[in-house]
Amino acid sequence: MAEYQAPLKDMHFVLKEVFETEKLWAELPGLAGAVDVDTADAIMEEAAKIAGEVVGPLNRESDEQGSRWDDGEVTAPDGFKEAYATFCEGGWNGLGGNPEYGGMGMPKTLTAHVEEMLQGASISFGLAPMLTAGACLSLDAHASDELKEKYLPNMYSGQWSGAMDLTEPHAGTDLGIIRSSAKENGDGSYTINGNKIFITWGEHDMAENIIHLVLARLPDAPKGPKGISLFLVPKIMVNDDGSLGERNGVSCGSIEKKMGIKGSATCVMNFDDAKGWLVGEPNQGLACMFTMMNYERLVVGIQGLGAAERSWQSAIEYARERLQSRSPNGAVAPEKAADPIIVHPDVRRMLLTMRAYTEGSRALNHYTAMWLDKSKFAEGDEKKQGADMMALLTPVTKAFVTDKALDCTVLGQQVFGGHGYLREWGQEQLVRDVRICQIYEGTNGVQAMDLMGRKVAANGGKFIELFAADIKEFIASCDDNMSEFIPALESALAGLQESTQWVLENAANDPAVIGSSAYDYLHQFGHVAHAFMWARMAKAAMAKQGSDEYYDGKLAVARFFYARLLPQANTHKQNIAAGSEPVMSLAAELF
């Protein structure tokens, strides 16, 4: 199994050459002067060392050992506590945080690459800072100044970590039926009671305190999702002077035995007369929590990318070394007993598919991060456009990227043949670990429904037209050198717009159209988005063609994507046009 190495060259290519991100940083009013390329280079170089030298080597052993629960206390796998301390001492926990409370204020177009390094090194470990960053984001956006001043500095420093407590045994996607309760105490605090499940890193020994963001209902709250409030509930009470006090009524009843991410603790959390404080307005908790959830959904896509990249690194190393049979074009290594398996067409197909989706997803994540930065740091119409594009792209970068990440890890395992099925090579762990990315933070089916229903149908396709306009602007900037890509990109975009119009026209008369089209629409959109990213990368690579074999490789992979993968978009278009009847006509009792 290859040791994880952050793909810095490809990250720099995307950041600097494909998107020329420094220009964006200089143009955004809320970001100008905060970061430049030299700063970004230094941050990424150091993050690569942390990921490759400190976190990555822990990945396999943490899977073997897992987190351990004993009478309510959770112990992280060996090495995690020390690695977490190293990570936090470097200030990484607050990289994207509000500088007013001790964060570094870096843009998502930079932090996304650092997050990929950490998740590629170990998803189990990466979940801890990921949840803390998301909790900080929600607190910064919605909490009172008093709560922010009291909690954010120690969360940014990593001294305290964060957890997100939504799911209950009977309530997952449908949070409107949660039963956890909150009662006002008359002094600004609330008493919280309830039981939560699937709480990632809800209990552990890596930080001295854990700050839970808990969804619960007030006594007079409306039924359904409009009656949910959000509360900050610390594991250990914090005194007025900032010191830690008594243990709160927060306990871990058990941790789950899981298919993957075994190094992380997935906890059952009990709140028994725990003391908490309201975040945001009463009955607006779901909106407050979605600030955190939308961030987490983007990072889940990055988790998938990280696992796919790590699988690719191992697969390509193995394919260059493993000797089996001869090339169909004649012996490549006649001095050896056989040729390396990279000469075989089917192995090359698998490797190229992995690389095409992985590098395409890296560019797509960066593209999405650009819109997030605009929604945060821009002003006026540009700020609104950023928010609209973020809303459109979030379910795609979560769901399509993780669907393809699982495909890539399975392909990586397949390259190894029988050895890929054995624990010692690490590929089977990546398959198990990345599988959760399609499930948590809203299953990929839910993401597809969100895209098709809320982000397309609900606004009459206006967000899609923003996306289409951006592609058309890029096409207008291309010259004849891009003629091998542009017609196919135009055709793919036209197909997506036709699918959009078909759904809009038919959904009014058939309520099942949105649900029956959602999966295929997500995947048609994802392939068009990747085609857009590969066209942008091809254009940047053509400018350097012949100067470095890296750029020649980029163009070869772009051609592979357009020839062998993009045609799948048309299959999804045909599935959408088949309508809901093939899905809905079979009576439930006949399944």
Side-chain angles (χ1 to χ4, degrees):
M1 179 71 175
E3 290 297 327
Y4 175 76
Q5 298 292 324
L8 281 173
K9 186 165 187 175
D10 203 59
M11 290 176 173
H12 285 309
F13 172 68
V14 168
L15 191 150
K16 298 178 183 179
E17 298 179 58
V18 177
F19 292 103
E20 298 180 314
T21 313
E22 188 175 25
K23 292 181 180 178
L24 173 70
W25 294 340
E27 293 168 357
L28 292 176
L31 195 60
V35 61
D36 56 27
V37 165
D38 290 339
T39 302
D41 285 349
I43 287 172
M44 290 171 66
E45 291 286 345
E46 193 59 32
K49 293 177 184 176
I50 296 288
E53 299 172 13
V54 178
V55 178
L58 302 174
N59 194 48
R60 182 182 166 194
E61 289 303 317
S62 69
D63 178 68
E64 298 279 353
Q65 187 181 55
S67 285
R68 292 154 286 172
W69 180 90
D70 182 24
D71 194 25
E73 301 296 324
V74 174
T75 303
D78 292 347
F80 267 35
K81 186 174 184 178
E82 294 76 14
Y84 187 74
T86 299
F87 180 82
C88 293
E89 285 166 5
W92 299 104
N93 224 41
L95 187 63
N98 187 343
E100 186 177 348
Y101 300 101
M104 293 177 63
M106 293 295 104
K108 189 66 174 181
T109 37
L110 175 56
T111 63
H113 294 289
V114 174
E115 288 162 347
E116 185 200 328
M117 296 180 205
L118 193 62
Q119 302 297 339
S122 170
I123 293 178
S124 288
F125 180 90
L127 279 163
M130 167 184 163
L131 267 296
T132 301
C136 288
L137 192 67
S138 189
L139 290 175
D140 188 47
H142 303 289
S144 66
D145 289 342
E146 181 182 359
L147 288 179
K148 287 190 280 191
E149 290 169 2
K150 192 170 188 176
Y151 289 95
L152 283 178
N154 282 338
M155 294 177 74
Y156 285 146
S157 72
Q159 192 172 348
W160 302 345
S161 68
M164 179 171 65
D165 299 66
L166 286 74
T167 306
E168 298 181 5
H170 65 286
T173 300
D174 188 0
L175 290 170
I177 60 174
I178 66 169
R179 296 172 185 156
S180 294
S181 65
K183 183 178 179 181
E184 193 169 3
N185 294 325
D187 61 356
S189 69
Y190 294 77
T191 297
I192 313 295
N193 284 284
N195 173 252
K196 300 287 184 177
I197 64 170
F198 302 158
I199 311 306
T200 303
W201 288 117
E203 174 62 32
H204 59 84
D205 62 341
M206 297 188 293
E208 66 177 27
N209 201 3
I210 302 172
I211 311 305
H212 294 266
L213 294 188
V214 184
L215 290 180
R217 287 187 175 283
L218 292 165
D220 58 349
K223 292 182 179 180
K226 294 182 179 180
I228 301 173
S229 298
L230 181 64
F231 299 88
L232 182 156
V233 185
K235 169 185 170 180
I236 301 173
M237 300 296 292
V238 181
N239 297 320
D240 290 340
D241 63 0
S243 63
L244 295 182
E246 297 179 353
R247 177 73 182 248
N248 202 359
V250 180
S251 62
C252 176
S254 64
I255 59 175
E256 305 292 352
K257 296 180 179 179
K258 313 186 294 283
M259 174 181 175
I261 56 167
K262 295 182 178 182
S264 67
T266 303
C267 303
V268 174
M269 297 303 303
N270 300 316
F271 297 88
D272 300 302
D273 290 336
K275 198 170 185 178
W277 286 264
L278 183 68
V279 176
E281 297 297 320
N283 305 323
Q284 297 298 313
L286 208 53
C288 297
M289 183 60 83
F290 265 103
T291 300
M292 180 177 187
M293 287 182 68
N294 284 331
Y295 165 84
E296 305 297 1
R297 285 171 176 171
L298 294 175
V299 185
V300 168
I302 292 170
Q303 285 184 327
L305 169 59
E309 170 66 30
R310 186 161 192 170
S311 183
W312 151 259
Q313 289 184 15
S314 294
I316 188 63
E317 179 182 273
Y318 185 82
R320 287 169 174 155
E321 296 176 354
R322 174 70 169 172
L323 303 180
Q324 292 286 284
S325 304
R326 290 295 183 188
S327 165
N329 297 321
V332 172
E335 74 284 3
K336 296 180 180 179
D339 289 332
I341 62 173
I342 198 171
V343 304
H344 301 304
D346 195 56
V347 173
R348 296 171 70 85
R349 173 192 63 82
M350 292 188 286
L351 292 170
L352 281 164
T353 299
M354 292 176 73
R355 183 171 171 184
Y357 282 127
T358 298
E359 294 180 7
S361 293
R362 180 171 297 118
L364 180 59
N365 281 336
H366 187 91
Y367 178 73
T368 305
M370 288 176 61
W371 292 109
L372 190 152
D373 284 344
K374 288 183 180 183
S375 73
K376 183 176 180 179
F377 298 112
E379 296 175 350
D381 291 343
E382 188 177 23
K383 187 179 187 74
K384 184 181 184 305
Q385 184 185 19
D388 291 346
M389 285 291 287
M390 269 300 303
L392 177 70
L393 293 168
T394 293
V396 181
T397 53
K398 192 279 185 186
F400 182 80
V401 169
T402 59
D403 278 350
K404 292 307 170 186
L406 177 67
D407 291 348
C408 288
T409 58
V410 170
L411 287 172
Q413 184 183 40
Q414 193 75 12
V415 169
F416 277 73
H419 292 290
Y421 202 67
L422 303 180
R423 293 184 71 103
E424 66 185 277
W425 293 93
Q427 289 285 24
E428 62 85 32
Q429 180 189 344
L430 292 171
V431 174
R432 288 185 291 105
D433 282 354
V434 81
R435 183 65 182 87
I436 188 59
C437 296
Q438 297 171 294
I439 298 172
Y440 59 15
E441 299 301 338
T443 67
N444 284 3
V446 169
Q447 300 303 312
M449 288 286 290
D450 179 52
L451 173 67
M452 186 78 270
R454 293 190 181 96
K455 310 304 170 55
V456 177
N459 58 51
K462 290 181 180 178
F463 290 177
I464 285 290
E465 289 309 308
L466 289 175
F467 178 64
D470 202 43
I471 295 179
K472 291 174 182 177
E473 182 179 347
F474 166 77
I475 290 173
S477 73
C478 295
D479 57 24
D480 291 343
N481 290 331
M482 286 289 289
S483 60
E484 63 179 300
F485 300 107
I486 295 307
L489 177 58
E490 289 176 321
S491 177
L493 175 60
L496 180 63
Q497 291 175 306
E498 289 169 13
S499 290
T500 303
Q501 191 61 35
W502 188 94
V503 171
L504 293 176
E505 290 175 356
N506 287 274
N509 299 318
D510 183 356
V513 159
I514 289 177
S516 65
S517 302
Y519 169 85
D520 286 291
Y521 191 85
L522 172 82
H523 281 259
Q524 185 182 3
F525 190 114
H527 280 96
V528 174
H530 269 59
F532 182 27
M533 296 301 102
W534 272 111
R536 296 187 73 143
M537 288 189 282
K539 183 180 180 182
M542 280 183 178
K544 300 285 187 70
Q545 192 174 5
S547 65
D548 186 327
E549 61 183 11
Y550 170 84
Y551 300 106
D552 300 333
K554 274 289 179 187
L555 285 169
V557 180
R559 291 173 180 128
F560 173 85
F561 178 86
Y562 269 75
R564 298 297 293 266
L565 301 179
L566 180 57
Q568 294 178 39
N570 195 51
T571 299
H572 293 296
K573 180 177 182 291
Q574 292 174 359
N575 290 346
I576 293 167
S580 67
E581 185 177 358
V583 176
M584 303 304 295
S585 62
L586 182 65
E589 61 271 18
L590 297 181
F591 270 83

